[in-house]
Amino acid sequence: MEDANKKKPGQLYARALEPLRFLIGGAANTTFSYSFYLIFLKFMDAVPAYTFSFIIGIFSGYAINTYFVFRSRWSWRRFAAFPAVHVVNYAVGTIVLWIAVNRFNVDEKLAPILSICSTIPINYLLSRKIVKG
């Protein structure tokens, strides 16, 4: 009888592809969020625009991570916990954005890209923990 804890080759392959799916899903979600950032930037300063686009990205990110990246089932409990993952991402991203714009004179339209890149590893590990349960 096969050990129930052993993973089948297909499961191992799917798990190995998670980081790639995370990057693809993250790129799609980033494009979506960044579009909102550019729209909001027409009406407000960089940090509030980043905040509102970040919130939108949390909701779309949970859907992408649940269905595409980790191939998990929707859970209201995990959905409620998912924004907590991004508290750290938001803090790090906002600090990077502020430093980039105010200390290194990076264009406000490009600074969020630095913020996003700085939070990718944190985001993957924490998102996986929440979405997979």
Side-chain angles (χ1 to χ4, degrees), residues 8-9 13-15 22 36 39 41 43-44 61-62 69 76 78 81-82 93 97 100 112 117 124 129:
K8 296 177 183 173
Y13 180 72
R15 171 76 192 270
F22 182 79
F36 276 97
I39 291 167
L41 196 57
F43 306 102
M44 59 189 74
Y62 180 76
V69 176
W76 287 108
R78 290 191 299 254
F82 194 72
L97 177 85
C117 291
Y124 174 76
K129 182 162 182 66

Side-chain angles (χ1 to χ4, degrees), residues 33-56 90 97 108 112:
S33 299
Y34 185 63
S35 298
F36 276 97
Y37 174 78
L38 293 177
I39 291 167
F40 293 143
L41 196 57
K42 293 179 180 186
F43 306 102
M44 59 189 74
D45 292 332
V47 172
Y50 179 75
T51 302
F52 290 122
S53 64
F54 192 90
I55 291 168
I56 290 169
Y90 177 77
L97 177 85
E108 290 179 335

Side-chain angles (χ1 to χ4, degrees), residues 5 7 9 14 18 22 32 36 40 46 59 64 68 71 74 90 97 99 101 118 125 133:
N5 292 329
K7 298 213 184 263
E18 276 183 2
F22 182 79
F32 182 71
F36 276 97
F40 293 143
F59 290 102
I64 291 169
F68 176 68
R71 301 190 175 173
W74 184 277
Y90 177 77
L97 177 85
I99 290 170
V101 170
S118 68
L125 294 172

